[in-house]
Amino acid sequence: MNSEERLIYMANQIATNLATDAAPVAAVADHIQAFWDPRMKRMIFAHGTDGLSPVAAAAIRLLADAQNGG
Amino acid sequence: MTYQPQKDFGTPESRSDAAVSLTIDGREVTVPAGTSVMRAAAEQGTSIPKLCATDSVKSYGSCRLCLVEIDGRRGTPASCTTQVEPGMVVRTQTPQLAKLRKGVMELYISDHPLDCLTCAANGDCELQDQAGAVGLRDVRYDVQATHLGQEKDHSNPYFDFDPSKCIACSRCIRACDEVQGTLALTMEGRGWDSKISAGFASDNFMGSECVSCGACVQACPTATLVEKKVVEVGTPERSVVTTCAYCGVGCTFRAEMRGEQLVRMVPYKDGKANRGHSCVKGRFAWGYAQHQERILKPMIRKSINDPWRAVEWDEAFAYTASELKRISAKYGRNALGGITSSRCTNEETFLVQKLVRAGFGNNNVDTCARVCHSPTGYGLKTTFGTSAGTQDFDSVEDSDVILIIGANPTDGHPVFASRMKRRLRGQDGRPGAKLIVIDPRRTDIVRSPHIEAQHHLPLRPGTNVAVLTAMAHVIVTEGLADEAFIRERCDWDEYSHWAEFVSQARNSPENLQPVTLVDAEDLRAAARLYATGGNGAIYYGLGVTEHSQGSSTVMAIANLAMATGNIGRSGVGVNPLRGQNNVQGACDMGSFPHELAGYRHISDHDARSLFEKDWGVTLDPEPGLRIPNMLDAAVDGVFKALYCQGEDILQSDPNTAHVSAGLAAMECVIVHDLFLNETANYAHIFLPGSTFLEKNGTFTNAERRIQPVRKVMTPMNGLEDWEVTQRLAQAMGLDWNYSHPSEIMDEIARLTPTFAGVSFARLDALGSLQWPVTADAPDGSPIMHIDGFVRGKGKFVVTDYVPTDEKTGPRFPLLLTTGRILSQYNVGAQTRRTENVAWHPEDLLEIHPVDAEDRGVKSGDWVKLASRAGETTLRANVTDRVAPGVVYTTFHHAVTQANVVTTDYSDWATNCPEYKVTAVQISASNGPTEWQEEYEAFSARARRVESGIAAE
């Protein structure tokens, strides 16, 4: 898989594993914020939510909004 | 210091708290109850002659040399088997004793070759010393029959066995039994025919079950068992205490030297990690340090298609700095990065990450722990608050139940395994600890002499979380959880949420059995044993972490320990067995792209400010790239330069094709290593490294123990590794002026709260320190979370089982799992350049007889191992050690390149690769794969040096 496909895969994998968290969207967003480098974040923001699970997509939107807002 | 053998107290130390006072030769001495008279005498400086006694093994009382007189006792009891008593009055030197001892020695010497002057142990022989001590001047016997002239056994590559010099004291047998726990050696025959045997009469040492740990050689009082190196070069004349550079046990050794020549590495009795024991690697496999294939001059080239050109250091540093600056200017600062090594010292690792953060201006630094224990860091920090194991190694002596999951300690961590086995066997009437092993393979510790696991759960690879959740289900639903502990120490709401989850019927052992392939009743019994069997300790390794749910598994382990109250005292805990010598240290030193030293996130303003102020730079608050992300970015054309110290990512990292594509896409790959490793085939700059014998610094082992590494010889390349990094930093314009690694440690201590009390001076004084070393714990912290978790309340995390996406199917029906073997280490760069190849000359594929028969494969046949990622060939070893459907191999040999087969799948939280699960197919093969042939040709081209071919 190429880098973009890998990021989508990773985001979904994180979301799947944090699905049982009390606040999964925030948990996924926090995880990506803490461990992904800025380029990886930019790439997934630019990609949008295609191929992302609902939790992963919501987390990416949350992060992107925070980025734009901040 | 001038050479002195380590002091031998004759019998082991007593651990009793009660004190006993007695008088020996008119002087009063106080020792712990249970101490032998021999040891009490040695404690006060009185040396009682002895031969069959040594303090690494229990007293035996056979040589009759250590006789003493005791007031009120008849006869002359042996001091090694006589325990001290209050008010006892002992005499060690009387005319009667002298006469008896001389008679005993006379008998010994009458059957011993009198070739002292040409004997390898001349000057270092206890028999010789004792003959002198008892004043033996003559042997009156005209001996007709002797044991002299027997054939020597030279089969072991590291030591010789000369039965003619044996005095049948059996110290070697007892060391093999009690210290190593292999029980390979035995006494063959009886009476006059008694002879040490390596197993059956037909066995020599190499052909026997001997694991070449060296305990017998260490215990031998004569030259019967002696290192070949001593035979070759003579006895040492000085010694330096240092730390082994192999696995995460971190054994302390005395490097025994003649001038700058290393004669032998001898395990140090005062070493707190190894307590005087060793394995075949640390004890003997150091020949790589002087191997002819070491590269000693820096080399550069414009393209990997060019041959290497050797240059002087000045040119190498100037060229490297200019390339890094050029790439930074052209592609931006984020195009640069570095990889620190778990084989290097804390100080070297700290400097590499500092160079990246302060010099390159980004956080693109990662370490090889990415591919081994990064899930440990994530999992234990999340649950307990600290990215480290909870215990010291001594703790195992207080364990009642030992649970090993995804670790093979007898191969990977052999010296600690020996201590574990000692506890499992039981001792002095104390029953052994119970053992649970969760592993797809029947590892050696499952069943070995006097040890048999109560439960071996041979799970399907990739189902760790399901197995641990099922165990939790049993513990919670059967009311075995320690609720008092949980209420006091953990977040009760989080526990309740977790307990509700694990109690669901879908998480029962019966429901999960089709997934895990573990018998539900056996799993229930194992869970009950862990929860109710007393002190329960969990030890785990890469079979836990190197999965797509590696971090979840670590947290599931932490959940189990908290649920059963097995945290915060000796004998319990969660213990990651670290692969390489300084995995713990490399992680501690801020090698991860998201963390500064001491596990503080780079976005933490206060922590970052501390470093910014000290270093005089501004740090990027965003995390950098992890190793797999670096390779992806390289393939994307945005990551262009890599400084790789002491790692061989091409061989050790998964999906070799992807790693090589990433490296090939870079413009400047700097390899800083001892040898032209596989990664160096893609390098543009080679900076020669120094061995652990050639530099000063510290390693931190799996029990958080910071230990000194001491320079015993001049670096063959001229510079210690920290000096190389410093010179490179200076060439980049950084104002670094460390004159000794102790100054680097001072900086680490200044910037890292858990290292606040660490300095070289304190390490010299105490031998070692276990972090945290703080004002509250000035002498370190052997056991953590005693009164509370570092994070406050222990955190239960729900870990739902998520199957890996690496699926078996018709094309790839078998599951490959990988591991290591005792005699080899990691990518084999060191051990392949030693005589250890005698034990493991090639990687073999273990395959179950049923799977082998289905494919027409016999042991020794060449087979093709193919996965979705790639294929390689190696020879088969048909064995029921692996379950049907599972195959196994090691990754020690570059020619096999097992990682050609492993995939890109990785742990969800840390990107630690899923080495342990790859769907594969096995088929008959008659030669190397296309990849192997192409790679061999490429490798030969890539290693050319202008003046000739660099050997590899």
Side-chain angles (χ1 to χ4, degrees), chain B residues 254-270:
Chain B
R254 290 194 351 155
E256 299 194 347
M257 313 289 297
R258 287 193 72 82
E260 286 218 321
Q261 183 175 21
L262 180 58
V263 177
R264 61 184 173 188
M265 294 287 279
V266 180
Y268 188 50
K269 290 181 181 181
D270 290 335

Side-chain angles (χ1 to χ4, degrees), chain B residues 344-382:
Chain B
C344 290
T345 65
N346 285 317
E347 294 73 17
E348 288 156 357
T349 306
F350 186 83
L351 284 198
V352 171
Q353 64 89 34
K354 181 176 177 179
L355 174 65
V356 171
R357 296 187 202 279
F360 295 178
N362 62 46
N363 294 309
N364 293 337
V365 61
D366 206 0
T367 182
C368 52
R370 174 65 53 212
V371 300
C372 67
H373 267 289
S374 51
T376 291
Y378 180 89
L380 296 186
K381 182 157 192 190
T382 303

Side-chain angles (χ1 to χ4, degrees), chain B residues 406 438-442 456-462 464 817 881-883 886:
Chain B
I438 304 175
D439 201 292
R441 293 173 73 226
R442 192 181 64 244
H456 172 216
L457 311 183
L459 76 174
R460 184 207 302 264
N464 284 331
T817 185
R881 180 190 282 265
V882 289
V886 177

Side-chain angles (χ1 to χ4, degrees), chain B residues 34-49:
Chain B
T35 301
S36 69
V37 169
M38 173 182 280
R39 187 173 181 107
E43 299 269 3
Q44 69 161 19
T46 297
S47 178
I48 299 175

Side-chain angles (χ1 to χ4, degrees), chain B residues 821-833:
Chain B
I821 200 164
L822 171 67
S823 54
Q824 298 282 0
Y825 180 67
N826 203 269
V827 295
Q830 293 144 286
T831 44
R832 277 188 283 115
R833 291 180 174 93

